[in-house]
Amino acid sequence: MRRSTSSATTAVVHFLNHSHGRRGNANHQVSRQTDSTNRWNPFPLDQRNQVFRNLADGKFDDVTDRAGAVFTLSDVSLGAAFGDIDNDGHTDVLIANVAGRTRLLGNDTGNQHHWLGLRLVGGETQRDMLDARVAFVQSDGSTLRRRARADGSYASANDLRVFVGLAESATVLLVRVTWPDGRVEEWADLAVDQYWTLTQGGGQ
């Protein structure tokens, strides 16, 4: 049994495997655990990481106990980087730990929902266009919005590609990109369940 003398600090992160996604916490204590079971541990600040499922009603369900054996481990986790390592449409997670192993969590849950991924590059610079904003217009009239970004968890850089979970929807009528310089372009009828590279100047 361990006792902590203060609350924990949390790096909040996302698992985007459907339209609403999951939220994960990379955790560690902010003060030493005075009765740590391992007296040789130079950083007795460990605790379990957590996974929450977005219920799409402003609430989250704690699904940590169903997320796999790695979430029974107690680590001092400071940051988490997210990206699709094997390009299968599932977001994988790399967790950095203090005085411990870096853990790569592969998301192998199977293709239960549709998705679409985009790499956004400049027409002249051929660089990833960070801060470009994307609107995914679906057949039911709803719009999902994303931003090209690398920031997120502490000292971590995420996959630069824009990813959106589509749940049961098998089509995206229109993808509208607002580039960092303010110009707007559109792409129609992009096939889902794959990645596309959209180059500034190549849309309508």
Side-chain angles (χ1 to χ4, degrees), residues 69-123:
V70 69
F71 288 97
T72 66
L73 303 176
S74 189
D75 290 314
V76 184
S77 300
L78 288 181
F82 291 78
D84 188 356
I85 299 297
D86 50 3
N87 294 320
D88 65 350
H90 297 102
T91 302
D92 308 297
V93 190
L94 186 69
I95 297 178
N97 297 308
V98 174
R101 296 180 177 180
T102 297
R103 303 189 187 280
L104 176 61
L105 310 185
N107 186 346
D108 298 320
T109 55
N111 289 317
Q112 302 173 9
H113 298 96
H114 295 292
W115 57 275
L116 183 63
L118 305 175
R119 183 187 177 201
L120 307 174
V121 299

Side-chain angles (χ1 to χ4, degrees), residues 4 6-9 27-31 33 44-47 76:
S4 173
S6 73
S7 60
T9 185
N27 298 329
H28 69 277
Q29 301 287 346
V30 295
S31 65
Q33 300 178 84
L45 307 171
D46 56 287
Q47 68 176 123
V76 184

Side-chain angles (χ1 to χ4, degrees), residues 121-143:
V121 299
E124 297 179 0
T125 63
Q126 293 295 304
R127 296 175 59 185
D128 291 279
M129 300 301 283
L130 292 178
D131 208 37
R133 299 177 184 266
V134 187
F136 299 85
V137 182
Q138 300 186 90
S139 57
D140 62 1
S142 63
T143 300

Side-chain angles (χ1 to χ4, degrees), residues 124-176:
E124 297 179 0
T125 63
Q126 293 295 304
R127 296 175 59 185
D128 291 279
M129 300 301 283
L130 292 178
D131 208 37
R133 299 177 184 266
V134 187
F136 299 85
V137 182
Q138 300 186 90
S139 57
D140 62 1
S142 63
T143 300
L144 300 173
R145 302 181 189 278
R146 297 289 186 269
R147 177 171 65 91
R149 51 181 289 188
D151 60 298
S153 186
Y154 173 76
S156 304
N158 297 327
D159 193 336
L160 299 179
R161 296 175 296 184
V162 175
F163 182 89
V164 64
L166 301 172
E168 304 300 329
S169 178
T171 60
V172 173
L173 292 182
L174 187 72
V175 172
R176 181 180 300 112

Side-chain angles (χ1 to χ4, degrees), residues 5 16 24 33 42 46 55-56 60 65 76 83 96 106 118 168 170 177 193 202:
T5 56
L16 298 176
Q33 300 178 84
D46 56 287
L55 301 178
F60 290 85
D65 291 337
V76 184
L118 305 175
E168 304 300 329
V177 178
D193 299 332

